[in-house]
Amino acid sequence: MKMVLFFFILCILLAAAASFLWSCKRLLDFNSYKKPFLEGTFLNFIILMSGSLWWTFISSSSEERWTGIFYFLISFLVIMVLNGAVLAFLYSKRKDTPS
């Protein structure tokens, strides 16, 4: 059970890292932070949706299944909000610096 919990948390951390890194990398290519935010959110959604499907198949009880999916949903929302805040901050800093 400890290994399953490890992979559960690893999935959340992977989604966060992939979302932040992809969005920050793509921020350099655009004059707005909206498209990189949407791309990062979509990547976050795909990874956590895959994690939810994996969790659905390996969980033993219905209560455990729904609790895990709920935690993935909360993780998605928290990562999305943090990603938007970080991108808005980085975009404002980039806009303020003279070229």
Side-chain angles (χ1 to χ4, degrees):
M1 190 62 178
K2 289 182 182 181
M3 198 62 152
V4 172
L5 183 61
F6 171 75
F7 284 119
F8 183 85
I9 293 171
L10 185 67
C11 183
I12 293 171
L13 294 175
L14 175 69
S19 178
F20 289 136
L21 292 175
W22 180 262
S23 296
C24 289
K25 178 188 173 299
R26 294 290 287 167
L27 184 64
L28 300 174
D29 298 336
F30 292 99
N31 292 331
S32 172
Y33 67 89
K34 292 175 187 168
K35 184 154 174 54
F37 172 72
L38 289 175
E39 290 175 358
T41 300
F42 181 71
L43 186 62
N44 181 19
F45 177 78
I46 293 299
I47 293 171
L48 290 178
M49 180 59 76
S50 301
S52 294
L53 289 174
W54 164 75
W55 186 255
T56 300
F57 289 120
I58 69 155
S59 59
S60 56
S61 68
S62 177
E63 180 180 309
E64 185 178 287
R65 182 176 302 125
W66 287 109
T67 303
I69 291 172
F70 179 72
Y71 284 146
F72 277 128
L73 174 66
I74 295 299
S75 300
F76 171 75
L77 295 174
V78 168
I79 293 168
M80 184 177 67
V81 168
L82 289 176
N83 193 21
V86 167
L87 286 176
F89 175 74
L90 290 176
Y91 182 72
S92 70
K93 287 296 183 187
R94 188 179 83 171
K95 200 172 169 184
D96 292 341
T97 59
S99 297

